[in-house]
Amino acid sequence: MKVVPVQPATPVVKDVQHYLRPGTLQLPALPPLSLYVHLPWCLKKCPYCDFNSHEIAPGEMPQQRYVDALVADLDAAVPLIWGRSIHSVFIGGGTPSLFSPQAIDQLLGAIRARLKLEPGCEVTLEANPGTFEKDRFRAFRAAGVTRLSVGVQSFNDAHLQALGRVHDRAQAIAAVEEAALAFDTFNLDLMYALPGQTLEQMEQDMVQALALMPPHISIYHLTIEPNTWFAKFPPRIPDDDSAYAMLDRITEMTAAAGMERYEVSAYAKPGHRCRHNLNYWQFGDYLGLGAGAHSKLSFPHRVVRQVRYRDPNLYMRHALAGQALAQDDEVARGDLPFEFMLNTLRLKDGFASAQFGERTGLSMSAIEPALQEAERKGLIERSLERIKPTQRGFDFLNDLQALFLGGP
Ligand SMILES: C[S@@+](CC[C@H](N)C(=O)[O-])C[C@H]1O[C@@H](n2cnc3c(N)ncnc32)[C@H](O)[C@@H]1O
Ligand code: SF4
């Protein structure tokens, strides 16, 4: 079971000098930096979801106070990323599309006033078809959102109901059609191996999804997460063999539609890969603002992970006082190789060899024995410049990643 650490009543407050002091790592350069913003409310909690999301009536959402808290949180964090530009922004949740376009405009305006966004910076917002109204998506675009991620999950009404979704098939289609009109690029989020789902039903979901011509699809195997309604009252879900067969069909069908599986769960047409998620998978840096948001930040001699207060009310109180951090820990030198490989091996193209040293501050010798073992087992391929999972490595990703546990 996943252990959720109890967050302390006393916030973590450290001086910038603390992060810059000498240490054992030598990072030759800092990686690209992304910004994640967490908006923690939903109309209804889905029975499978373990995200930090809380049910709320739209009229009760403290929208302005939350935006003020995010801005105060950012103000307190700016010294840690001083001078660095922002590679991508992702507004996730929860259901960010519950926030009004005016609130998103205010938030993005405050971000732009404090941080330098790289030219053409991708700005994604997660949207739920249940919050879709005509003109709302265009208003998000006018506020500066460049990419929408629409949480569809399935186009089958019976499955949507079993998943406790607030929208039906018709609303999902209308939302995706509007996303296609309002944005140059967008993502469609789906899940497979749903309660009672057959291979044919999954194919029908994919046929419908592909008919909408999305430039990007993320499709996740439904997992029963601890501390969810489904963990307490488990539904009947397809067995592992059926789920593998579904994944094979998904990969075939997306390939036939000109989409490439560039990450374990992500498929894109050329030019439409998600830059924000790519930065996570390439072990880049990210500053996470908002309730329960996680950050990974590099400094010349250390890599730090931070977590903000998880409860939205507690978060707002602390963030408005400039002290949103509940946890702040240096990643142990011995954990860096595994953390790097956990992310980069999710990518079909793997990683450039030079990136290992750049992002971890360690020498390749730290992973050489594990690389040799992975190569011997046929799980990775390597050239002088690049290391990537083989098809077998991709299919047995957990086994491949586990070879790098244990550290140098
Ligand atoms: C934060 S949600 C997306 C936005 C919005 N909250 C929604 O659900 O429409 C991120 C995605 O994670 C996936 N997800 C959430 N819980 C999952 C689970 N237990 N198993 C597999 N995928 C899950 C869903 O595909 C979901 O769209
Ligand atoms: S709408 Fe999304 S974040 Fe909200 S409960 Fe459902 S899956 Fe979780």
Side-chain angles (χ1 to χ4, degrees), residues 42 46 48-51 93-96 126-129 149-153 165 189-191 220-225:
C42 294
C46 302
Y48 56 87
C49 175
D50 80 335
F51 284 67
T95 304
E126 280 184 340
N128 183 313
S149 176
V150 189
V152 167
Q153 319 312 346
R165 300 292 293 179
D189 253 354
L190 289 169
M191 293 192 296
Y220 307 100
H221 185 169
L222 173 71
T223 46
I224 306 299
E225 300 288 349

Side-chain angles (χ1 to χ4, degrees), residues 244 261 264 345 377-379 389-403:
Y244 274 121
R261 185 182 183 197
V264 175
L345 291 174
K377 292 186 164 160
L379 299 172
T390 56
Q391 185 57 49
R392 186 178 159 75
F394 225 37
D395 291 342
F396 296 94
L397 189 58
N398 290 342
D399 298 340
L400 170 56
Q401 287 164 332
L403 295 177

Side-chain angles (χ1 to χ4, degrees), residues 66-323:
Y66 196 76
V67 172
D68 291 344
L70 289 170
V71 176
D73 188 356
L74 174 57
D75 277 333
V78 161
L80 299 191
I81 53 165
W82 196 246
R84 297 176 70 180
S85 58
I86 301 295
H87 168 82
S88 59
V89 180
F90 195 102
I91 306 175
T95 304
S97 55
L98 273 182
F99 274 58
S100 69
Q102 294 74 19
I104 299 299
D105 185 53
Q106 193 192 343
L107 172 65
L108 289 174
I111 291 170
R112 276 190 229 101
R114 287 161 181 79
L115 302 174
K116 187 175 176 308
L117 270 49
E118 284 173 11
C121 182
E122 176 187 275
V123 180
T124 304
L125 179 121
E126 280 184 340
N128 183 313
T131 61
F132 165 69
E133 295 157 25
K134 195 101 194 104
D135 298 336
R136 197 176 175 85
F137 287 180
R138 284 164 212 258
F140 286 133
R141 180 173 182 144
V145 173
T146 65
R147 178 176 184 271
L148 215 62
S149 176
V150 189
V152 167
Q153 319 312 346
S154 171
F155 289 100
N156 177 311
D157 277 329
H159 290 146
L160 287 171
Q161 218 170 10
L163 292 173
R165 300 292 293 179
V166 293
H167 60 89
D168 60 15
R169 166 188 170 84
Q171 280 170 304
I173 293 175
V176 177
E177 282 174 345
E178 183 61 20
L181 286 175
F183 290 88
D184 299 331
T185 190
F186 67 94
N187 169 51
L188 203 155
D189 253 354
L190 289 169
M191 293 192 296
Y192 71 97
L194 305 178
Q197 192 179 40
T198 62
L199 182 64
E200 291 69 34
Q201 287 170 328
M202 190 282 308
E203 282 177 352
Q204 284 159 14
D205 266 356
M206 286 306 295
V207 167
Q208 176 58 69
L210 294 169
L212 294 163
M213 296 195 287
H216 192 289
I217 292 181
S218 297
I219 181 155
Y220 307 100
H221 185 169
L222 173 71
T223 46
I224 306 299
E225 300 288 349
N227 302 315
T228 59
W229 182 264
F230 274 1
K232 240 190 201 167
F233 304 101
R236 272 182 67 94
I237 47 174
D239 60 24
D240 285 352
D241 285 347
S242 315
Y244 274 121
M246 289 183 186
L247 183 57
D248 283 346
R249 279 300 287 144
I250 290 164
T251 307
E252 278 168 24
M253 291 173 81
T254 45
M259 304 180 86
E260 192 185 6
R261 185 182 183 197
Y262 71 100
E263 187 266 349
V264 175
S265 310
Y267 301 79
K269 294 221 169 113
H272 290 274
R273 295 181 178 192
C274 175
R275 284 192 241 158
H276 185 83
N277 287 341
L278 270 173
N279 192 40
Y280 288 153
W281 297 320
Q282 290 171 341
F283 208 52
D285 276 5
Y286 48 95
L287 172 67
L289 303 177
H294 290 234
S295 305
K296 175 214 163 223
L297 296 172
S298 303
F299 298 89
H301 303 296
R302 59 189 39 75
V303 177
V304 168
R305 289 200 179 276
Q306 301 178 330
V307 187
R308 279 150 167 78
Y309 280 95
R310 188 173 162 88
D311 173 76
N313 286 317
L314 208 57
Y315 165 76
M316 285 190 280
R317 188 146 39 86
H318 283 296
L320 287 165
Q323 301 181 340

Side-chain angles (χ1 to χ4, degrees), residues 27-42:
L27 266 64
L30 300 183
L33 172 67
S34 294
L35 180 67
Y36 174 78
V37 183
H38 191 75
L39 307 187
W41 291 289
C42 294

